[in-house]
Amino acid sequence: MTAEISGLHIMMEMEEEKCTENAVKNESVKQPGSVKPPPNIIEEDSKHMEREALNRRNDWEPSAFYSLGKETFFFTGQEISIRESLDSYGAVIWPGAVALCQYLEKNREQIDLMDKAVLELGAGTGLVSIVTSLLGAWVTATDLPDVLNNLNFNLSRNTRGRCRYTPQVAALTWGQDVLRHFPSTVYRYDYVLCADVVYHHDFLEDLLITMKHFCKPGTTLLWANKVRFQSDLCFTENFKNAFNTTLLLEIPHEEVRIYQATAKK
C-alpha cells in the first residue's frame, strides 16, 4: 500500500510539473520591463498560512532535501521546490546561492528588499530570485538563453500567488552587449545579486564589466561565492578595486564569502 501511495504521489507530481511547464512555455520571455508594476493582491489568509508554516517548523529540521533531481528548501515560511538538471552549470544549485538566501532571510532589517527593484545575474535555477521575490522585491532574473526554460519553470512554480510582485525572466549575456540591451538610462536597480557566478570560465572580465554597468550610485551589489580556484581570488582582487566593498559574511567550512559592494565615486 505504501509503495502504491508513493507511486501515485510521484505521478501526481509529474503531472503537476507537466502542467506548469506547458504554462511556462506559453509565456514568451520578453525584454524585462523597466517600470515597476503595482503590487499583486495577496490574500490575508495566505499570510496567516505562511506564519503558521513557519511556526510549525522545528529548529532541527533541515533546510533542504534532495530527491529525483529536485531540491526542496524552506525560506520565509514557504516550501520551495527546485528542479535541477545536469545539462549545464546554470541548472544546478551551488552553495553560494543557498548562503545568500540564508543571509537575506536572516538580515531583513539591514537589507530591506520590500518594494525594491532587484536584478540577479546568472540566476541559474532561480533559488535566489525566488527567495528575493518572497521577501517582497520586484525581481528580474537573468541568465544565458539555454537555461531560461528551467529558470522560468522554477520561478513560476514557486512564486505564483505567493509574491508581492511577479518576477521577470530575461536573457543576459555578460559583456559589451549589455550596454545596448540594458541602457542605464532605462534600467536601474536598488540591488544587484550574484551567487556563484565566479568559477573557472573565460568570461570573468565580461562579468566584471556587467557588474560595473549595473552597480551605479544608489545601487547595492551583493555577491556570494565559494572559493575554488586561484582565478577566483584574482577576480576578488579586481572586484575590490572596482567597488567599495565590505565582507558581510565568511563561512570557513564551506569556503563561501558574501560581499557587499557600491560604486566608487
Side-chain angles (χ1 to χ4, degrees), residues 46-57:
S46 68
K47 295 181 180 179
H48 287 306
M49 291 177 66
E50 289 176 22
R51 288 194 289 267
E52 182 182 346
L54 187 60
N55 291 335
R56 281 202 310 266
R57 289 191 55 209

Side-chain angles (χ1 to χ4, degrees), residues 59-110:
D59 291 338
W60 55 265
E61 188 174 1
S63 62
F65 301 90
Y66 182 79
S67 175
L68 299 176
K70 295 181 191 175
E71 288 203 52
T72 302
F73 297 84
F74 295 91
F75 287 107
T76 72
Q78 299 275 11
E79 179 178 307
I80 301 171
S81 178
I82 298 292
R83 184 178 69 178
E84 293 185 308
S85 169
L86 296 178
D87 293 342
S88 71
Y89 290 139
V92 176
I93 297 172
W94 298 105
V98 178
L100 183 55
C101 290
Q102 292 171 338
Y103 186 85
L104 293 174
E105 183 180 39
K106 292 178 181 178
N107 295 274
R108 300 188 205 188
E109 292 186 3
Q110 294 90 336

Side-chain angles (χ1 to χ4, degrees), residues 95-105 120 128 193-195 222-224 256 258:
V98 178
L100 183 55
C101 290
Q102 292 171 338
Y103 186 85
L104 293 174
E105 183 180 39
E120 185 181 4
V128 172
L193 306 182
C194 314
L222 299 176
W223 169 43
V256 171
I258 300 179

Side-chain angles (χ1 to χ4, degrees), residues 226-240:
K226 178 180 174 67
V227 178
R228 300 177 178 87
F229 308 103
Q230 183 63 35
S231 56
D232 300 354
L233 299 176
C234 292
F235 180 89
T236 301
E237 289 306 309
N238 293 333
F239 178 81
K240 290 178 178 179

Side-chain angles (χ1 to χ4, degrees), residues 192-211:
V192 175
L193 306 182
C194 314
D196 268 320
V197 291
V198 176
Y199 50 92
H200 193 61
H201 60 69
D202 298 327
F203 307 102
L204 294 178
E205 185 176 343
D206 292 328
L207 171 60
L208 192 59
I209 289 172
T210 304
M211 286 177 165

